[in-house]
Amino acid sequence: MEYCLKITKKDGSVSNHYFSSYEELDYNATFCQFSTNIAEAVGLKVGLFKNEILFKIG
């Protein structure tokens, strides 16, 4: 998996969702913009030694 959507909910729980394409990542991140339960969502490109932040929501 090359991309990760890291979601932090308002209750403090964190979940990671992995995708094989940027299009999948972007599509799923769209739902985070309209959710009242999401405190922050971060789109990441997963690298061998370091993850690159692509975008932040929230």
Side-chain angles (χ1 to χ4, degrees):
M1 300 294 168
E2 291 186 40
Y3 298 93
C4 176
L5 181 61
K6 183 176 183 177
I7 298 173
T8 306
K9 295 182 180 177
K10 289 188 177 177
D11 67 2
S13 63
V14 178
S15 60
N16 293 324
H17 304 275
Y18 294 93
F19 305 97
S20 58
S21 72
Y22 181 81
E23 289 76 21
E24 288 181 287
L25 171 69
D26 187 46
Y27 176 79
N28 286 281
T30 302
F31 295 107
C32 295
Q33 293 177 335
F34 304 107
S35 176
T36 57
N37 192 34
I38 305 295
E40 181 182 54
V42 179
L44 302 166
K45 179 162 175 66
V46 179
L48 186 58
F49 298 107
K50 183 179 172 186
N51 294 336
E52 176 185 346
I53 296 175
L54 301 173
F55 59 81
K56 286 187 180 182
I57 299 170

